[in-house]
Amino acid sequence: METGSSQYTDGMQHAEQRLLDLLRTIEAHLEGLHIHRLAEQNAQLKDSLGETVEALQADLALFSPPEPLHEFHATFSKAVQHCADAYAFLLRFIGQEFAMDFLKGRYEFCRGKHLLYELRAGLPILQQHWVFPDTLSSLPALEIQVPGLNVPVGIVRKERKDQRSAYSLYVPENYTPHTEWPLIVCLHSGYSREDDYLLTWLRAAKSKGYMLLAPKSVRETWSAIRLPGIPPNPVLDRRSIRTMLEEVWDSYAVDRRRIYLTGFSDGGIFTYVLGLAYADIFAGIAPVAGRIHPAINHLLKRGQGKDLPIFIVHGEQDPIFAVDVTRQTHTGLTKLGYNVTYTELPDWGHAYPYSINETLVMPWFEGLGVERLLGSA
């Protein structure tokens, strides 16, 4: 057993690199999933990560940390186990009847990543996972916390209250109340977790200096969507999210001119519902892999939110919400005079949008922010 601090450091460097490869591979797998190709994609995942997962676990068994690093090492080992469990659950996902394994896999991946983010100061190789490549040289400055703050920064989770559901919040670590910060509200997909979906936006927010608000739906999914035996009631989540926003406004210096809204799948549906209902709050909305909902028909008839920029992103291979319907939505909203931009992705289906959020939606938000700031100059 290796016990020297230099030997431990060398061993951790190998473990970090393997774990970085694992994180990147699983993210790409989650974003590239196609229902009709699950067996093939699972085989590819196993080929890519089978040896990596085994080597990671073997590495941790071969060396032990110096005394001051015992707690750090225990947390790191727990994060590795969560990631290994995520890999195992994802391999079991081969169709609709195994959807619970997929959700378990995503949850384990979420738990592992949150632990790793907490340990990031002691994991120099993994630090590159949390920011864009062109921001890596600026990372030390992004991590410097202003002394004397009376509010928490980093990833914060707020538990459910009577007036609202739970939510996760990301506040850049270099937050200062002397600057107003843009905010992205990001809505998870059906039967998912807000702390999980926040992670699809973390790199972009940390790199570009944005706050993130990731609400949890009041029910299993957003209240505009009908559940068995439960009628839709979109007001539930509208009021819940409005309460969350007011809490964040009261505690942090938010740039009220640059509050953006986006969501994936069921979250994309509720992006239309919430965005048009509160069109005066948002500088732009971006439904991803969603569809328009009858709950906003009355808003469309009176032209509410016509000046609100809307960015629709959809995959041509989407097996859940057919792309033809989204094309019709784009055409219909345009005819009604709405400010709509549409991007269709020929090879994408209906899967977690890590790179889509980072390379399509974030640059679109950034462009709107520049327009708003120039317009108010």
Side-chain angles (χ1 to χ4, degrees):
M1 181 180 294
E2 299 178 346
T3 57
S5 59
S6 62
Q7 293 172 320
Y8 178 74
T9 299
D10 291 343
M12 283 297 294
Q13 287 178 347
H14 289 296
E16 273 192 78
Q17 186 58 58
R18 289 191 174 103
L19 193 52
L20 179 61
D21 294 341
L22 181 148
L23 296 179
R24 289 171 170 170
T25 301
I26 290 184
E27 283 189 4
H29 177 75
L30 290 173
E31 187 167 53
L33 281 176
H34 290 273
I35 296 297
H36 61 283
R37 293 176 50 204
L38 287 177
E40 171 194 347
Q41 292 181 316
N42 284 351
Q44 292 172 348
L45 181 66
K46 188 173 183 179
D47 287 343
S48 299
L49 288 185
E51 293 182 2
T52 298
V53 172
E54 292 178 3
L56 258 173
Q57 294 172 320
D59 282 347
L60 294 179
L62 286 174
F63 57 88
S64 60
E67 182 67 31
L69 295 178
H70 277 184
E71 185 176 349
F72 170 89
H73 188 78
T75 304
F76 181 78
S77 299
K78 186 183 296 184
V80 169
Q81 188 58 56
H82 283 310
C83 291
D85 291 342
Y87 164 75
F89 278 121
L90 291 175
L91 287 183
R92 298 178 194 173
F93 177 46
I94 56 174
Q96 186 173 354
E97 64 271 29
F98 295 93
M100 187 57 67
D101 286 325
F102 176 69
L103 293 176
K104 289 177 181 177
R106 265 198 348 215
Y107 177 50
E108 291 297 324
F109 194 47
C110 165
R111 294 175 73 187
K113 289 176 77 174
H114 276 284
L115 288 177
L116 291 171
Y117 192 73
E118 292 176 9
L119 299 177
R120 66 192 182 282
L123 299 170
I125 294 174
L126 272 175
Q127 284 182 359
Q128 62 189 289
H129 186 69
W130 307 118
V131 291
F132 291 162
D134 60 0
T135 310
L136 190 58
S137 61
S138 304
L139 185 56
L142 296 180
E143 292 285 359
I144 296 176
Q145 296 188 18
V146 174
L149 281 181
N150 60 0
V151 291
V153 297
I155 298 176
V156 182
R157 190 165 195 273
K158 299 289 187 177
E159 297 300 328
R160 186 176 185 137
K161 291 184 176 180
D162 290 341
Q163 303 87 353
R164 58 152 177 82
S165 187
Y167 65 89
S168 288
L169 184 70
Y170 172 71
V171 181
E173 285 76 13
N174 62 340
Y175 168 84
T176 169
H178 305 299
T179 300
E180 291 187 330
W181 298 74
L183 170 67
I184 297 172
V185 180
C186 45
L187 308 182
H188 63 76
S189 55
Y191 303 91
S192 295
R193 297 175 57 95
E194 87 293 342
D195 52 353
D196 182 10
Y197 196 62
L198 178 137
L199 294 171
T200 70
W201 274 100
L202 181 59
R203 269 191 299 269
K206 190 177 181 76
S207 299
K208 297 294 185 179
Y210 281 65
M211 295 175 61
L212 297 173
L213 169 60
K216 178 69 186 83
S217 57
V218 172
R219 298 168 175 170
E220 291 90 340
T221 190
W222 301 101
S223 54
I225 288 89
R226 181 179 296 275
L227 293 169
I230 304 176
N233 185 5
V235 172
L236 292 177
D237 279 304
R238 280 171 37 193
R239 288 176 177 170
S240 174
I241 294 173
R242 181 60 185 255
T243 301
M244 297 173 193
L245 281 167
E246 290 172 353
E247 287 184 10
V248 175
W249 293 335
D250 288 344
S251 300
Y252 295 93
V254 176
D255 187 344
R256 299 284 287 270
R257 298 168 300 172
R258 292 195 290 162
I259 300 177
Y260 308 101
L261 172 65
T262 184
F264 165 63
S265 191
D266 281 8
I269 294 175
F270 206 72
T271 293
Y272 286 113
V273 176
L274 182 69
L276 291 181
Y278 294 151
D280 58 325
I281 291 178
F282 299 109
I285 67 173
V288 178
R291 58 179 172 82
I292 210 157
H293 193 277
I296 65 170
N297 286 346
H298 67 292
L299 302 177
L300 297 176
K301 286 179 181 178
R302 65 172 184 251
Q304 182 160 325
K306 271 193 177 179
D307 295 331
L308 177 67
I310 303 172
F311 181 36
I312 301 171
V313 181
H314 211 92
E316 188 177 333
Q317 309 299 321
D318 193 323
I320 309 297
F321 300 140
V323 68
D324 287 345
V325 176
T326 299
R327 292 169 181 163
Q328 293 167 13
T329 296
H330 172 228
T331 300
L333 289 174
T334 301
K335 287 182 178 179
L336 289 172
Y338 281 82
N339 180 6
V340 186
T341 301
Y342 177 48
T343 292
E344 189 173 297
L345 305 176
D347 299 321
W348 193 49
H350 193 96
Y352 251 36
Y354 291 97
S355 69
I356 290 167
N357 289 342
E358 294 171 355
T359 64
L360 293 177
V361 183
M362 178 56 115
W364 187 76
F365 285 157
E366 289 266 273
L368 295 178
V370 169
E371 291 174 10
R372 288 260 171 157
L373 292 174
L374 289 176
S376 62

